[in-house]
Amino acid sequence: MITRLLIANRGEIACRVIATARRMGIATVAVHSDADADALHVTMADEAVRIGPPPAADSYLDADAIIAAAKATGAEAIHPGYGFLSENPGFVEAVEAAGLIFVGPSARAIRAMGLKDAAKALMAEAGVPVVPGYHGDNQNADFLAGEADQIGFPVLIKARAGGGGKGMRKVARAADFHAALESCRREAQAAFGDDAVLIEKFVTAPRHIEVQVFGDAHGNVVHLFERDCSLQRRHQKVIEEAPAPGMTEEVRAAMTGAAVRAAKAIGYEGAGTVEFIADGSGPLRTDGFWFMEMNTRLQVEHPVTEAVTGVDLVEWQLRVAAGEPLPLAQDDIALCGHGFEARLYAEDPANGFLPQTGRLAHLAFGDARIDTGVRTGDAITPHYDPMIAKIIAQGADRAAALHRLRRALADTHVAGTVTNRAFLLALARHDGFAAGAADTGLIDRDLEALTAAPETPDLAVAFAAIAALDLDLADPRLGWRLWGEASHAVRLMKGDGLVERRLILHGPGSVTLDGQTPLRLDGLTRDGTAITGRQGGCSVRADVVRYQDGTGTHVSVLLDGAIHAFAVPDPLAGTGGIVDSGDAVTAPMTGIVRLVDVRPGDRVEAGDRLMVVEAMKMEHALTAPRAGVVTAVHGGEGDSVEGGAVLVAFEPEAE
């Protein structure tokens, strides 16, 4: 058995691997960039080694530095997690050449499945159904456009290397093909160092169903059933579940059998996932699914498989890497209950899911399994994926598991950065999803409703006012004045809007928010961040956090499953509101300028692309808010820009 393990990754997956290794009695070594010097995975490990500056290319992708750290600390094996070097066959060979164990498949297997075009050809030979498309070597743009015409729109352009939705675009019209191709190539080159693509027919009402497989060095290959990953945005998974809704034993046998054949065709060892696209326009069919790709690593969503099988997949990885046979035979692996995983990200769903940065002033979770790599006080930086946590809920059946997921999301409170928590909760409450009728287009179809901002109830304003004024609710002098009751004018910013109310203090534990309909709260007490009380004889409770950052004082209120974020304006600085005059385009997030389309003096029309900014390896096109003449361009290709910085300025509109 391995006795000392280096984890060549960061964040939640590094913490996840460390937890299993510790349970197995294996000592762990963490690696970190300068940005992660105080990260959770560093403090959890038995030992930690610095491997470089914040950019991933200079740290977590530096194979030589990682191998040197392993040798210097006496580690016998390296676990790559997912992302970074996990599917890099050259890294596998370098690890083995250094006399170390790579916890994962062979370089040969990774190469066989690493390029989607070659993998599809191999799968077709193995009798696995594949999606119609062009998977060849000719990368001429006009040729690819012609192939797309022959396949028939809509088509999907996909980077042949990598995954995670990067370098992938759905194209509905021939007129949009070339622009989408260019964007895919830039994104693929930045993420994977390979700008080659393939073209596939886009399946109407597609479902994304994948099968967890596992092989060992003794020729054994098993499956651990399927996961449904159809809830996606920008081709990235949002909520996953196991087993797949509507799955019959007949279809399951066909799909898992194809997955096992795929793994056996390349002599696969370790954890892997065979991904299929299925026709979701009706019931699942044995002839209605096709191979998409194989991920030759542990998947982000592996906990849902663990939830329904009771198997620790990381333990299996470590045992197989040490040369042991699989712990269970196929007939010994049972499917029990249902599991969900929701990915909590620092991103803004109402603003195109743009990644966000910030310091986590408060981080608290509901009752579920939580896989995370951050704590309260940690920063979400632009250097890495903005995942905060994975929230995993399980139950005896789908309804029970979904109820627990909703409860856990409703009780999760994050302050200090914008997150997709409300979006996840809206998805978990979506009628179609609740009925098991989700396909990969569900989010796009219902995006407006799923990202709608909740109304701000007076109760949330009252709790925010108590926190903003930093009131001691138990103080016997609360509300005492020589003449009458004490009151405070309360001014809060909610988004760009100013909320002005008056809070009347009646005495210990009793206040009224004065408005059109006065709201009285009695019996108020505070226990940490929780404020409880009574409203009209009914109990009320909120999780309330007051914090400061570089922009001032803020209050975050979690009430009835909704988070209401307020800023406390500086009385010397007016309302603090920012008015967008339409005379400038600002960076929506901290990132790097990848493309500049305009120069000072250019005239543009509303909607014209001005720049492309990359953040966390995803491209974001900035467009003109109106017609006008460009007067200034701040930032060139390759420049780093801060979120909120003015990038393009226009001549003022004539009055």
Side-chain angles (χ1 to χ4, degrees):
M1 174 53 71
I2 296 165
T3 60
R4 194 170 189 83
L5 175 71
L6 182 141
I7 299 96
N9 216 299
R10 63 175 303 280
E12 63 87 15
I13 185 56
C15 296
R16 164 74 187 87
V17 174
I18 291 170
T20 288
R22 177 180 294 160
R23 180 177 59 78
M24 296 175 67
I26 300 172
T28 56
V29 179
V31 294
H32 66 87
S33 70
D34 292 335
D36 282 339
D38 298 316
L40 181 58
H41 75 280
V42 172
T43 61
M44 283 182 64
D46 297 297
E47 190 172 353
V49 179
R50 175 194 178 273
I51 52 171
D58 301 322
S59 51
Y60 295 106
L61 290 172
D62 187 339
D64 292 340
I66 290 170
I67 292 171
K71 293 181 75 68
T73 56
E76 304 155 81
I78 294 178
H79 193 302
Y82 45 70
F84 294 136
L85 294 168
S86 62
E87 294 180 283
N88 185 319
F91 179 62
V92 178
E93 291 168 340
V95 168
E96 293 174 346
L100 304 172
I101 298 169
F102 179 77
V103 182
S106 66
R108 177 185 52 77
I110 293 175
R111 283 197 176 94
M113 290 298 186
L115 298 180
K116 295 182 180 68
D117 50 359
K120 288 177 188 295
L122 182 60
M123 291 300 97
E125 292 179 11
V128 178
V130 299
V131 180
Y134 177 73
H135 310 131
D137 295 328
N138 190 334
Q139 294 293 302
N140 177 272
D142 291 334
F143 174 81
L144 293 174
E147 289 296 307
D149 284 334
Q150 290 187 32
I151 295 167
F153 289 92
V155 299
L156 202 60
I157 306 175
K158 299 172 67 173
R160 71 174 182 176
K166 298 177 179 68
M168 186 182 299
R169 296 288 187 280
K170 176 188 173 183
V171 186
R173 305 180 308 151
D176 300 329
F177 184 85
H178 283 282
L181 176 62
E182 290 176 11
S183 182
C184 281
R185 282 177 164 168
R186 283 193 306 271
E187 218 168 70
Q189 183 64 42
F192 317 121
D194 183 350
D195 68 355
V197 301
L198 51 85
I199 314 295
E200 289 183 348
K201 178 65 179 174
F202 184 83
V203 179
T204 304
R207 287 180 61 181
H208 183 140
I209 302 176
E210 60 189 30
V211 176
Q212 177 72 59
V213 294
F214 228 106
D216 64 21
H218 306 278
N220 302 306
V221 177
V222 299
H223 70 80
L224 292 96
F225 305 101
E226 80 282 352
R227 300 183 287 255
D228 193 306
C229 309
S230 297
L231 280 186
Q232 300 181 10
R233 50 88 178 145
R234 289 183 173 179
H235 304 292
Q236 290 185 308
K237 301 163 188 173
V238 178
I239 296 179
E240 302 97 349
E241 63 179 299
M247 179 63 71
T248 66
E249 288 302 324
E250 184 183 20
V251 176
R252 175 175 289 133
M255 191 175 288
T256 56
V260 169
R261 288 199 303 276
K264 287 183 174 180
I266 57 172
Y268 197 79
E269 298 176 23
T273 299
V274 181
E275 302 196 350
F276 297 99
I277 188 168
D279 182 357
S281 61
L284 294 172
R285 312 185 318 271
T286 56
D287 62 348
F289 66 88
W290 303 273
F291 173 85
M292 286 198 302
E293 61 183 328
M294 182 175 185
N295 289 301
T296 50
R297 54 172 167 77
L298 196 66
Q299 289 280 84
V300 177
E301 60 272 21
H302 75 273
V304 293
T305 293
E306 295 182 327
V308 297
T309 62
V311 170
D312 184 329
L313 294 177
V314 174
E315 178 179 344
W316 277 33
Q317 284 187 297
L318 295 172
R319 292 192 180 282
V320 166
E324 297 182 24
L326 291 175
L328 296 175
Q330 187 67 70
D331 291 343
D332 299 322
I333 304 170
L335 182 62
C336 183
H338 207 95
F340 287 96
E341 174 185 289
R343 303 187 187 192
L344 181 66
Y345 277 92
E347 64 183 14
D348 187 356
N351 192 19
F353 296 96
L354 291 177
Q356 303 293 298
T357 57
R359 190 164 295 279
L360 297 170
H362 180 69
L363 183 61
F365 298 103
D367 180 24
R369 169 180 165 178
I370 305 297
D371 284 12
T372 185
V374 292
R375 306 148 293 188
T376 294
D378 286 350
I380 304 297
T381 75
H383 301 296
Y384 313 115
D385 185 90
M387 180 184 284
I388 295 173
K390 300 184 307 195
I391 299 172
I392 303 107
Q394 63 187 105
D397 54 29
R398 191 173 189 271
L402 186 55
H403 175 77
R404 189 175 181 193
L405 177 67
R406 290 168 177 167
R407 186 72 262 162
L409 287 168
D411 291 342
T412 293
H413 191 182
V414 185
T417 187
V418 176
T419 77
N420 67 339
R421 188 206 67 100
F423 168 73
L424 292 173
L425 185 54
L427 268 177
R429 291 171 172 170
H430 187 281
D431 289 342
F433 180 57
D439 60 57
T440 59
L442 183 148
I443 289 175
D444 286 343
R445 289 193 300 272
D446 295 342
L447 186 60
E448 185 175 353
L450 291 168
T451 57
E455 294 292 328
T456 305
D458 283 349
L459 192 56
V461 176
F463 282 125
I466 291 169
L469 295 170
D470 200 19
L471 298 178
D472 180 358
L473 297 169
D475 188 342
R477 298 167 298 176
L478 185 74
W480 185 88
R481 292 294 185 274
L482 187 58
W483 294 284
E485 295 171 314
S487 68
H488 291 275
V490 178
R491 302 174 77 244
L492 301 168
M493 295 298 298
K494 187 74 167 67
D496 291 335
L498 181 64
V499 179
E500 294 186 282
R501 305 296 288 272
R502 180 165 292 277
L503 194 70
I504 301 171
L505 314 180
H506 303 295
S510 183
V511 303
T512 293
L513 184 70
D514 188 22
Q516 293 179 346
T517 304
L519 170 71
R520 185 181 180 101
L521 298 173
D522 294 312
L524 289 166
T525 60
R526 184 194 292 266
D527 181 11
T529 61
I531 300 179
T532 57
R534 292 190 304 275
Q535 176 193 5
C538 297
S539 297
V540 292
R541 175 187 173 90
D543 192 46
V544 184
V545 179
R546 182 177 185 266
Y547 65 97
Q548 290 186 316
D549 61 17
T551 64
T553 302
H554 303 265
V555 176
S556 180
V557 179
L558 173 63
L559 176 67
D560 294 333
I563 294 177
H564 305 277
F566 301 87
V568 182
D570 182 343
L572 301 179
T575 65
I578 299 173
V579 179
D580 183 5
S581 67
D583 292 340
V585 172
T586 59
M589 82 299 281
T590 300
I592 299 171
V593 176
R594 287 301 180 202
L595 192 66
V596 179
D597 293 300
V598 294
R599 295 178 297 178
D602 287 353
R603 179 166 186 83
V604 297
E605 299 299 323
D608 285 354
R609 192 178 71 183
L610 308 174
M611 273 189 181
V612 174
V613 175
E614 179 193 303
M616 300 168 187
K617 296 185 179 179
M618 295 292 285
E619 289 192 352
H620 308 275
L622 308 186
T623 58
R626 61 173 174 84
V629 176
V630 175
T631 59
V633 177
H634 304 289
E637 294 181 8
D639 289 350
S640 296
V641 293
E642 293 292 325
V646 174
L647 298 181
V648 181
F650 298 91
E651 284 185 355
E653 291 187 277
E655 298 187 4

